[in-house]
Amino acid sequence: VSVLEVPPGSLYGKENLPYGVYRRPPGGEPRIGVRVHEAVLDLALALDDASFAVPTLNPFLAASPQRWAEVRVALQSLFGGPVDDRALVPLCEVELLLPFAVGDYVDFYCSEQHARAVGQMFRPGQPPLMPNWHHLPVGYHGRSGTVVVSGTEVVRPMGQRRGADDDHPDFGPTQRLDIECEVGFVVGPGSVLGSRIGTEEFNEHVFGLVLVNDWSARDIQSWEYVPLGPHLGKSFATTIGPWVVPMAALEAARVPTPTQGDKLPYLAMDEPWGLDLELEVAWNGQQVSRPPYRAIHWSPAQMLAHLTVNGAATRTGDLFASGTVSGDEPGTQGAFIELTRNGEQPIRVNGEDRSFLEDGDEVAITGSAVCAGGGRLGLGECRGRIAPARP
Amino acid sequence: VSVLEVPPGSLYGKENLPYGVYRRPPGGEPRIGVRVHEAVLDLALALDDASFAVPTLNPFLAASPQRWAEVRVALQSLFGGPVDDRALVPLCEVELLLPFAVGDYVDFYCSEQHARAVGQMFRPGQPPLMPNWHHLPVGYHGRSGTVVVSGTEVVRPMGQRRGADDDHPDFGPTQRLDIECEVGFVVGPGSVLGSRIGTEEFNEHVFGLVLVNDWSARDIQSWEYVPLGPHLGKSFATTIGPWVVPMAALEAARVPTPTQGDKLPYLAMDEPWGLDLELEVAWNGQQVSRPPYRAIHWSPAQMLAHLTVNGAATRTGDLFASGTVSGDEPGTQGAFIELTRNGEQPIRVNGEDRSFLEDGDEVAITGSAVCAGGGRLGLGECRGRIAPARP
C-alpha cells in the first residue's frame, strides 16, 4: 500500500486524470486506467468497479456526463490516501492501446493560418481562403479504420503523383510525406438521426480530447483531391495519443477564440471559447514547431454544432479534429509543408536540411493545457515512425 | 413442412440468395435470413446452424470465401426438398433491418456521364472532368454512422446555402434535395494496415452488393464542398437496401467495363469487368429513370485496389459505392439534378412538374442483374420518404 500523490508541478495530477487503455505485457489483458504522473492507475482496482476491466473506453464514454463527474470526484478523493500497489503500474511497464473504438472521424480545417498557407500553395494565383471559410467550419470525413494509437509505425504510402509539368501521373512512394499537428474531440453519448446538437450542449456530448497527427502525403493529395476532397493522401494512417483528457479538466484552459465575424445563429455563442493548448512537434527528437491551439478560429462547440446541423447522428467514439494547428509566428506551424514553405526552405534537423519525412524518421507531438489559475495539464504524446514503403 | 421452391422466373431463386437481417414484430429477435421469392428463409433454422441466429451479417462476412461458398451450396441443396414451415417467413410479416454494421463508407464517382454532367453544373466554364478522372477512381469518405436501411425516413436537412448573387449564406431547409442512385460493395475479411488488395484479390475480400441511395442536398453541397469535398450535403442520410446479393451470384452478370485508357499497373486488369445491372428509380411510384450500371467506368475490383493502394486497412463491413449511376440516354440518369438539368427542365411526376424532392415524396430504387445465360437476379429495394425539416 502506497499513498497516491504526485510531485508538485506534475502535468498529470488530480486536476488532469486522462483516460486510456493499457496492457501489461506479456499476457496482460487490456484494462482502463488513468494517468497519474508517471504511472497508470487501474480504475477497476482503484475504484473496485469491474466495469473498468474492459479493453475500450466506449462503454464509459457512452454512459453520461453525470457518471463521468462521479468517477472524477471518486478518483480525486483517492489522492492523499492509500492505494493498493497493484493498482498503480509504472508507465514504463505498460503498453498503451487505442483508447476507444472510433466511430466516424471528421477532420476540420479551423486554423486560418493553415488554410491560408495551404491555399496559397495548392491554388496559386487564387484567393487562398474559399468564400465559405469564415462562415462555417470546413471539414470532411477521414478514414476511421486507419486511426491508430501513438507508437504504431506508419508505412510510407504508395500512390499516384503528377508533377506540374507532366501529362500523366506516375506511381511510387510518396516523396512529400508530412504531418498535421491537431487536436481531436471524442464524442460520448451519441445523438439520434434528424436531431442537432447546439453549441450550448457540447458538454453533454463530448467527453474529452486527444492529440492527433493526421499524416499527409502531399503529392498524392494534390493530384487526387479535386473535386471530392482528400482521400488516399490521408487515409493510410492517422495517429492519436493514448490519453483522452477529460473536457472537465480542460475547462480551466478555456480562452476566447480569435474574433469571429457575423455568423448564422446556429453557430452563435455568447462567448465562443477555445483552449489554451501549447503543442510541440519534435522531429527525430528535435523540437521544430510550437503550434498554439488558441489561434484556432472555431470553438469545438461550433464544430460539433455544424457537424450535426443537418441532422447527422453521432455515435459514441466519434472523433472530430481541429485540422492542422498553425500560428502566425515562424516556428509555430503544424505541418512541414508550411514550416518549409512547400519544401523550398528546408529546416535544419539534427544538422541536416529536411523538408519532408524520410524513412526511419520519428515525429512526436506533445502538449499541455495552460490553466487560468496557473498550472498545466499534460496531453500525452502522439508519436510515429516512418517505415519504408512496400512496393 | 413445405417444399422449398420458387415459381419459374422468380428474381429470388436458388441462383440469387441475398442475405439480410429480419425481425418478426412484435418482439421477434433479429436473425439472418436469405430471400427466397416472397419469403425469408431463416438460416439458423434451415441449416440448423446457431451462428446465424444473430442480429448482423458481420461475423459471416468476416468468415471466409470458403465458408460463404459452403453455405451457398448447402442452401442451394435445400431447393426441391422439404423445409420446416417455421423457417420460411412471408416477407410481408417481417421487418428488414440494417444488414451489417458499416465500417468505413467510401463513395466513388465512377460514372463518366455523371461526373461530366455535375462538373458542368458545379463548375460552369471549366472542363467538366478533372485531369485525374481517367487515371484513378475518384472518391471520398462518407459518414458511416448515418447509413440507414431502406424504409427509414429521411429528415430534410437544414444547412447553409448561398445563392449565386448573394454575398452571404443563409440558413434553412435544403431546397434542392436530390438522390444518387448507386450500387455499393460490402467488404468481408478485412486487410491489415500497410498492405494492398490487388485487382485479382477482389473475390477474397468482397462478399456482396447492395443498392444505395446517397441522398444529396445540392445547395448545401455546392457552398460547402471547396476545398475538402462534400460533407453536410451528404452526411444526413445514406440509404442501403436490406439485401446483400453475393458476388458469387453476380459472376453470371459480369460484363466488360467501358473501354479504359492507359492505366498505372496497380489498376491494370486483363479484362476489367463491370456488372450488367439494370436499375430503376421510382418517384412516388412513377418510374423516372433507368440507370445502367454497365456504363460505370471502373471495375469494383479497381475501386478496391485503389482504395488500398496506399496501405489503408479495410474492415469487415466496409462499404464502397460506385457513385451515381448515369447513362447517356435521356431518362437514364441517377440523380434528379441531371434528369432535370439542374432543375431547369422539370420532369412530370404524377401530373406535376418536379425538379427536387418535396416533403412526403418517396423514392424507391430497385434493380436486377442480367445474367449471361438468360435470367435475372433481383437486387431488392432501397426506399425512403422525405420527412419535413426540423427547424
Side-chain angles (χ1 to χ4, degrees):
Chain A
V1 173
S2 317
V3 172
L4 186 63
E5 58 187 0
V6 302
S10 171
L11 299 180
Y12 300 95
K14 67 192 289 188
E15 297 77 20
N16 193 344
L17 301 174
Y19 287 73
V21 172
Y22 79 99
R23 199 174 77 83
R24 266 184 110 142
E29 293 294 320
R31 299 163 67 93
I32 294 178
V34 296
R35 179 163 175 181
V36 176
H37 197 55
E38 295 296 319
V40 177
L41 182 67
D42 183 280
L43 256 64
L45 292 174
L47 298 176
D48 192 19
D49 182 339
S51 74
F52 290 110
V54 293
T56 176
L57 287 175
N58 291 59
F60 180 63
L61 296 174
S64 70
Q66 186 182 342
R67 163 83 169 145
W68 306 339
E70 286 164 2
V71 172
R72 186 166 177 83
V73 167
L75 283 172
Q76 288 179 328
S77 74
L78 298 178
F79 279 74
V83 62
D84 185 334
D85 283 331
R86 292 174 310 155
L88 210 53
V89 190
L91 259 185
C92 58
E93 294 179 15
V94 308
E95 179 185 4
L96 296 169
L97 307 175
L98 192 69
F100 57 96
V102 181
D104 274 297
Y105 163 45
V106 167
D107 200 16
F108 285 103
Y109 191 56
C110 292
S111 160
E112 182 164 347
Q113 290 83 348
H114 172 71
R116 284 186 183 280
V118 171
Q120 280 164 357
M121 287 183 269
F122 276 46
R123 293 175 296 278
Q126 296 174 47
L129 282 191
M130 293 294 177
N132 56 18
W133 200 91
H134 281 106
H135 294 282
L136 56 87
V138 173
Y140 71 105
H141 282 87
R143 188 166 186 82
S144 56
T146 50
V147 174
V148 297
V149 72
S150 178
T152 306
E153 75 169 12
V154 174
V155 177
R156 178 180 298 274
M158 305 284 286
Q160 293 196 22
R161 310 82 47 98
R162 195 185 69 165
D165 302 326
D166 299 330
D167 273 351
H168 288 275
D170 68 356
F171 179 76
T174 177
Q175 302 298 316
R176 292 163 67 85
L177 185 55
D178 198 355
I179 67 158
E180 294 196 340
C181 171
E182 309 193 12
V183 165
F185 300 89
V186 183
V187 171
S191 53
V192 300
L193 195 64
S195 71
R196 318 211 296 247
I197 300 176
T199 53
E200 75 289 357
E201 296 172 296
F202 180 86
N203 286 350
E204 309 299 311
H205 287 275
V206 176
F207 173 74
L209 172 156
V210 288
L211 295 176
V212 175
N213 185 347
D214 190 41
W215 307 91
S216 299
R218 301 299 180 191
D219 40 6
I220 297 172
Q221 182 185 355
S222 65
W223 167 235
E224 73 172 357
Y225 90 105
V226 282
L228 300 185
H231 184 196
L232 291 159
K234 305 277 194 169
S235 65
F236 57 94
T238 303
T239 304
I240 66 173
W243 298 112
V244 184
V245 181
M247 296 312 301
L250 293 165
E251 292 200 1
R254 288 191 179 188
V255 290
T257 63
T259 304
Q260 301 178 345
D262 286 345
K263 294 176 298 291
L264 286 164
Y266 79 91
L267 291 172
M269 299 175 72
D270 284 343
E271 297 181 338
W273 55 269
L275 294 166
D276 190 4
L277 313 179
E278 296 185 355
L279 307 177
E280 297 184 26
V281 178
W283 191 340
N284 293 336
Q286 178 185 319
Q287 184 187 290
V288 294
S289 184
R290 294 175 58 89
Y293 187 86
R294 64 182 303 153
I296 290 289
H297 183 84
W298 297 101
S299 171
Q302 293 170 317
M303 299 179 205
L304 184 61
H306 183 65
L307 184 53
T308 60
V309 74
N310 66 348
T314 59
R315 290 178 292 176
T316 298
D318 280 356
L319 174 68
F320 60 96
S322 58
T324 307
V325 179
S326 290
D328 286 313
E329 304 300 315
T332 65
Q333 287 72 36
F336 298 152
I337 193 171
E338 286 172 80
L339 276 175
T340 66
R341 298 180 184 266
N342 207 10
E344 289 163 10
Q345 296 185 14
I347 56 177
R348 294 294 281 183
V349 179
N350 295 335
E352 296 177 22
D353 276 349
R354 303 295 289 277
S355 298
F356 293 100
L357 288 162
E358 298 184 5
D359 292 346
D361 278 0
E362 187 176 62
V363 173
I365 298 171
T366 54
S368 59
V370 182
C371 298
R376 286 178 181 260
L377 308 174
L379 306 179
E381 182 181 63
C382 181
R383 178 186 291 271
R385 185 183 295 276
I386 307 305
R390 298 182 190 159
Chain B
V1 172
S2 318
V3 171
L4 186 65
E5 57 187 0
V6 301
S10 172
L11 298 180
Y12 300 95
K14 67 191 291 187
E15 296 76 21
N16 194 342
L17 302 175
Y19 287 74
V21 172
Y22 79 100
R23 200 174 75 84
R24 266 183 111 142
E29 293 292 319
R31 299 163 67 92
I32 293 178
V34 296
R35 180 164 175 182
V36 175
H37 196 53
E38 294 297 319
V40 177
L41 181 69
D42 184 280
L43 256 63
L45 292 175
L47 298 176
D48 192 22
D49 182 338
S51 74
F52 290 109
V54 293
T56 176
L57 287 175
N58 291 60
F60 179 63
L61 295 175
S64 69
Q66 186 181 342
R67 164 85 169 145
W68 305 338
E70 287 164 1
V71 172
R72 187 167 176 80
V73 167
L75 285 171
Q76 289 179 327
S77 73
L78 298 178
F79 279 75
V83 62
D84 185 334
D85 283 332
R86 292 174 309 156
L88 209 54
V89 189
L91 259 185
C92 58
E93 294 180 14
V94 308
E95 180 185 4
L96 296 169
L97 307 175
L98 192 70
F100 57 96
V102 182
D104 274 297
Y105 164 43
V106 167
D107 201 16
F108 285 102
Y109 192 56
C110 293
S111 160
E112 182 164 345
Q113 290 83 349
H114 173 72
R116 285 186 182 279
V118 172
Q120 279 164 357
M121 288 184 270
F122 276 46
R123 294 175 296 278
Q126 296 176 45
L129 282 192
M130 293 293 178
N132 56 19
W133 200 92
H134 281 107
H135 294 282
L136 57 88
V138 172
Y140 71 106
H141 282 88
R143 189 164 184 82
S144 57
T146 51
V147 175
V148 298
V149 72
S150 179
T152 306
E153 75 169 13
V154 174
V155 178
R156 179 181 296 275
M158 305 283 287
Q160 294 196 21
R161 311 82 45 97
R162 194 185 69 164
D165 302 327
D166 299 332
D167 273 350
H168 288 275
D170 68 357
F171 179 76
T174 177
Q175 301 300 314
R176 293 164 65 85
L177 185 54
D178 198 355
I179 66 157
E180 294 196 338
C181 171
E182 308 194 12
V183 164
F185 299 88
V186 184
V187 171
S191 54
V192 300
L193 195 63
S195 71
R196 319 210 297 248
I197 300 176
T199 53
E200 74 290 354
E201 296 172 298
F202 180 87
N203 286 350
E204 310 298 311
H205 288 275
V206 176
F207 173 73
L209 171 156
V210 288
L211 295 175
V212 175
N213 186 346
D214 190 42
W215 307 92
S216 298
R218 301 299 180 191
D219 41 5
I220 296 171
Q221 181 186 353
S222 65
W223 167 236
E224 74 174 355
Y225 90 105
V226 281
L228 299 185
H231 184 195
L232 292 158
K234 306 276 195 169
S235 65
F236 56 94
T238 302
T239 304
I240 65 172
W243 298 112
V244 184
V245 181
M247 296 312 301
L250 294 164
E251 293 202 359
R254 288 192 179 187
V255 289
T257 62
T259 304
Q260 300 178 346
D262 286 345
K263 295 177 297 293
L264 285 164
Y266 79 92
L267 291 172
M269 299 175 73
D270 284 342
E271 297 181 337
W273 56 270
L275 293 166
D276 190 5
L277 313 179
E278 295 186 356
L279 307 177
E280 298 184 26
V281 178
W283 192 341
N284 294 334
Q286 177 185 318
Q287 184 187 290
V288 294
S289 183
R290 296 176 55 89
Y293 187 86
R294 63 182 302 154
I296 291 289
H297 183 84
W298 297 101
S299 171
Q302 292 169 320
M303 299 179 205
L304 184 60
H306 184 66
L307 184 52
T308 60
V309 73
N310 67 347
T314 59
R315 289 178 294 175
T316 296
D318 279 358
L319 174 67
F320 61 96
S322 57
T324 306
V325 180
S326 289
D328 286 313
E329 305 300 315
T332 65
Q333 287 71 37
F336 299 153
I337 194 171
E338 287 172 80
L339 276 175
T340 65
R341 297 179 184 268
N342 207 12
E344 290 162 10
Q345 297 184 15
I347 56 177
R348 294 293 281 180
V349 178
N350 295 334
E352 295 177 22
D353 276 348
R354 303 294 289 279
S355 299
F356 292 101
L357 288 162
E358 298 184 4
D359 292 346
D361 278 0
E362 186 175 64
V363 173
I365 298 171
T366 53
S368 58
V370 182
C371 296
R376 284 178 182 263
L377 308 174
L379 306 179
E381 184 182 61
C382 181
R383 178 186 292 271
R385 185 182 294 276
I386 307 305
R390 298 181 188 158

